[in-house]
Each structure stands twice: as structure tokens, then as C-alpha cells.
Amino acid sequence: MGNLKITNVKTILTAPGGIDLAVVKVETSEPGLYGLGCATFTQRIFAVKSAVDEYMAPFLIGKDPSRIDDIWQSAAVSGYWRNGPIMNNALSGVDMALWDIKGKLAGMPVYDLLGGKCRDGIPLYCHTDGGDELEVEDNIRARMEEGYQYVRCQMGMYGGAGTEDLKLIATHLARAKNIQPKRSPRGKTPGIYFDPEAYAKSVPRLFDHLRNKLGFGIEFIHDVHERVTPVTAVHLAKALEQYQLFYLEDPVAPENIDWLKMLRQQASTPVSMGELFVNINEWKPLIDNRLIDYIRCHVSTIGGITPAKKLAVYSELNGVRTAWHGPGDISPAGVCANMHLDLSSPNFGIQEYTPMNDALREVFPGCPEIDYGYAYLSGRPGLGIDIDEAKAARYPCEGGIPSWTMARTPDGTVSRP
């Protein structure tokens, strides 16, 4: 199809899981040939739609969809300034859709275009939570019964404050019962309050209980979610060594990555970083200097499959494994993109997975099969995922700013979410 051209690019917004999602559809001059990609940035969902519809679409229409890297490179600099999450998500939606089209043209799944399978199934981890150690233990046992061999263990969500915000994880989670936050002053500013010092003291107690009750036959992950000071993160990593975590996730904020050198010098707890990265200069020194063990980027926020595959290869050369971000605010198209990368990367480490409800699976035919802690792709050409636009329209997005990003410490100081 030497004369194949992009004829239309549009954004489809939908929320069948209760979380706002953005999917880009790239249509071509070949009737019925189109690709899908994830452009979900829930906190700025309408800004991404505008970026796709008003800027990316005019830039792309008439171009050859087979020139994926050329399109990625030229689109990335078409606004002169680059590496922001809004434009990167817009670019990602297009990039994933082009890989989807390429696979359909070749009659091959995307993982075959990326070098073929490196494993038979994709091991997953899921989130477990609870109001106290016993509730967390019970929830882990339930996940173990489902076949999960890796779990992320939290008590009171991130920081111990729990959450009522369904746009974070599509479920209510209770505040940690045994974390007693410090008293707040009068005239308390609205926000989600947590006590970073009390939270940090609770984490070793949690894992002491879990290892005593569940042993070392299951892998544990914990997400700090950048909610403590850098020196507290160092202390926490040291305190958790004896519990042999699979990794400690986002112990510091991107602004404080220089502290990872001190953490590395003082603790052997494996570290995963990258969820908030949007620029290559953020992760490159961490990989070069062996300051992290797992690269954990949100694939749509760095620009899609094209940069993620390059990052995976660069990480492989430096002994770092992949652990792509897989929260509820990622569309099934994005989930599939993650998993095509997982299957084709020798240095794959683990894949975060947020279970999908029936509505998501109905709107997005072709979702991965999840069986006893592993994910399996369909093997169909392209990403193997589709969207029913009529059904997607039944679940409109709400927009707005999620309340969980409005984090504050006991005296009312704004904190990192």
C-alpha cells in the first residue's frame, strides 16, 4: 500500500471504569484500516483532546502512517518546546495507533514487530490495601488465591490517609487505623491530609507483620509515592532491607533524584522510579549511574511505544529492568501497549495491573486475558484491541481536578500527592 495516507485523527473520551480515559483513533485511506492509541492524562483530559484535535490532527493528515519514527521525531519538535505531559500524551496516542496500523498491515502483533516474544506470559502485580495490618494480610491472601505472586502492599492507600476519590483507583480505601496523624491548626485548609513521619514509621511495622504471617514466598512492593522527605526515604529504605522487598517505588520526587545516590550507598532495597518522568534527562543519569533497578514510566506520558522501546533497550544495556506504570487511569489500549513491550523486552521485570470491570471490557473488545497472575495477549495483528464508539459514548468523562492531588501535611502545607 505505497499510497497509504492518514485521513483523519480524532480523540475518543470515555470513562467506563469511572476514570476519565482518552483514546486516539488514526484513520487511513484504506477503508476499515485504523489504529488506536492511549493518550490518557486524567488530570488534564480535555487539554489532551484539544492538543490532538487542534494540533496533531492537522499535522498528521496526508502523511504516510508507516513512517513511525519520522512522525514521532517531527511531531515532538513541531511545537518547538517539548517534553510536557499534555503534548507527550497526544503524541503517544498517535504513536501507539501507528504501531497498531503497522501490525495490521503486516498481519502481525506489535510484539513481533518489536522482536518477538521473550516469555510465555506476563507476570503481574496488583494493589492490596487495608485499614490495618490484618486487613492488608487478608487482601494479600485473597490475591494469592487468585494466583498473584507479586503484590503492592499499602495501608491506607498512599501516606495512610486512605481515599474517597474514585478517579485514583476506582474504589474507596479506608484511612490507616493505627497511624495517628499530628493535630492540625485551626482554620484547616481543605485538602487530603496525611502525616509523612507517622506514615513512614508505620511501613516497617506493616512488613514485619506480613513477613511473619506470609513468609518470603511472595514478592512485596511498596509505593512511597514521593510523600516523604528525601532523608526519610533513605531511612525507610534501610529499615525495609530485612523484609526483602521486590522493590520500593518512587521513594523520592523527580525534583530530588540526586538523593538516590545517598540511598544507594546506604541501603540495598531495590528501587523503582520514573512514574512522573516526561524527559529523557530525568531517567538517563539514574540508569547510567545504576541508581535504580526498575524503570517505571507511564508509557503515554513519555510519548508512546517508540520512546519506550528505546528506553527499554537502553535500560537493558545497563542492567535495569522495566516495570511500566499500569494504574486505573490508563486505557485498555495503553494496557496492551505496555504488554507488547513486556513480551518483547528481555529485561522485563514486572507489570502493574489494575483489574478491569465488565464495562471496560465491553467498550474495548480484545482486552488481555488475565489468568492466575499472568496476562496473555490475543496474538491478533496490531495491538489486538478495538473500541466500540457507541458504547464508549455511554460513559462520558467528567474532567475536573481529582481531590487526591490536593495533599497536605498536618499543619496545612501543600505536599506532593
Side-chain angles (χ1 to χ4, degrees):
M1 296 185 182
N3 295 319
L4 189 66
K5 301 295 180 186
I6 296 172
T7 56
N8 191 36
V9 180
K10 66 178 181 179
T11 313
I12 304 165
L13 301 185
T14 187
I19 300 175
D20 293 347
L21 305 175
V23 175
V24 172
K25 185 175 185 179
V26 176
E27 299 172 340
T28 72
S29 53
E30 177 66 19
L33 178 62
Y34 60 85
L36 300 177
C38 184
T40 300
F41 181 11
T42 298
Q43 294 80 3
R44 297 292 186 270
I45 199 78
F46 298 126
V48 172
K49 176 175 170 55
S50 178
V52 173
D53 295 350
E54 296 180 30
Y55 297 99
M56 293 298 292
F59 178 81
L60 291 163
I61 290 173
K63 286 185 167 60
D64 179 355
S66 69
R67 299 184 62 172
I68 297 176
D69 215 308
D70 179 76
I71 287 174
W72 195 95
Q73 298 293 341
S74 59
V77 299
S78 65
Y80 184 53
W81 282 275
R82 51 265 205 189
N83 295 121
I86 292 172
M87 288 309 302
N88 276 3
N89 269 282
L91 178 55
S92 166
V94 170
D95 181 76
M96 291 181 190
L98 296 182
W99 279 103
D100 192 21
I101 291 168
K102 178 84 77 172
K104 290 173 179 176
L105 281 170
M108 301 166 65
V110 167
Y111 61 74
D112 273 340
L113 300 179
L114 298 175
K117 285 186 178 182
C118 292
R119 54 198 45 82
D120 299 316
I122 302 164
L124 308 172
Y125 80 82
C126 62
H127 184 96
T128 60
D129 215 301
D132 59 23
E133 291 88 346
L134 292 174
E135 288 183 9
V136 179
E137 177 193 343
D138 288 344
N139 285 324
I140 292 171
R141 290 186 185 278
R143 300 293 81 74
M144 292 171 70
E145 285 292 317
E146 294 171 0
Y148 286 94
Q149 301 171 93
Y150 305 78
V151 290
R152 181 169 65 203
C153 312
Q154 307 292 138
M155 190 164 60
M157 199 53 182
Y158 303 129
T163 181
E164 296 294 313
D165 188 348
L166 297 183
K167 289 194 173 184
L168 176 59
I169 200 165
T171 188
H172 298 280
L173 292 174
R175 175 183 289 274
K177 301 170 185 174
N178 58 2
I179 297 179
Q180 298 302 318
K182 298 178 184 68
R183 187 176 63 254
S184 294
R186 63 176 182 245
K188 188 174 177 180
T189 303
I192 306 299
Y193 278 73
F194 76 104
D195 185 329
E197 292 81 22
Y199 151 69
K201 291 181 177 71
S202 76
V203 178
R205 296 199 307 266
L206 170 64
F207 283 100
D208 186 67
H209 173 88
L210 296 178
R211 283 304 188 201
N212 282 325
K213 295 296 184 180
L214 299 171
F216 288 80
I218 182 167
E219 301 290 352
F220 289 153
I221 291 166
H222 182 73
D223 187 359
V224 177
H225 223 261
E226 57 171 343
R227 285 190 172 223
V228 299
T229 61
V231 70
T232 301
V234 174
H235 180 77
L236 184 57
K238 292 171 66 176
L240 292 174
E241 279 185 304
Q242 61 184 307
Y243 305 114
Q244 299 179 30
L245 267 61
F246 187 73
Y247 62 65
L248 186 66
E249 184 180 321
D250 287 335
V252 298
E255 299 88 347
N256 298 133
I257 58 176
D258 289 347
W259 280 80
L260 288 175
K261 182 176 181 180
M262 183 180 293
L263 190 154
R264 199 64 143 181
Q265 291 169 342
Q266 298 193 38
S268 62
T269 299
V271 172
S272 169
M273 278 287 294
E275 179 175 325
L276 287 170
F277 289 179
V278 296
N279 187 310
I280 190 169
N281 291 316
E282 292 174 291
W283 65 65
K284 189 173 183 293
L286 303 187
I287 296 171
D288 288 345
N289 295 306
R290 279 66 171 179
L291 297 179
I292 59 174
D293 303 279
Y294 297 86
I295 186 69
R296 180 180 161 70
C297 292
H298 191 101
V299 170
S300 70
T301 301
I302 65 171
I305 292 172
T306 295
K309 182 60 178 178
K310 295 174 183 179
L311 175 57
V313 172
Y314 189 77
S315 298
E316 178 192 353
L317 297 176
N318 289 278
V320 173
R321 292 194 281 175
T322 66
W324 308 121
H325 193 212
D329 51 341
I330 178 174
S331 75
V335 172
C336 287
N338 281 354
M339 292 182 178
H340 282 272
L341 289 161
D342 295 338
L343 277 180
S344 58
S345 299
N347 58 320
F348 164 78
I350 192 66
Q351 178 60 59
E352 177 183 11
Y353 179 71
T354 302
M356 300 181 191
N357 64 8
D358 291 341
L360 273 166
R361 290 185 172 274
E362 184 180 6
V363 170
F364 292 92
C367 289
E369 178 190 357
I370 310 302
D371 183 41
Y372 218 59
Y374 281 90
Y376 302 92
L377 293 172
S378 67
R380 290 193 289 270
L383 292 176
I385 194 82
D386 207 342
I387 188 169
D388 186 320
E389 294 188 53
K391 291 178 180 176
R394 299 175 189 169
Y395 304 96
C397 289
E398 295 181 357
I401 299 175
S403 64
W404 66 268
T405 62
M406 303 293 103
R408 293 182 182 271
T409 54
D411 67 358
T413 301
V414 172
S415 184
R416 295 182 175 92

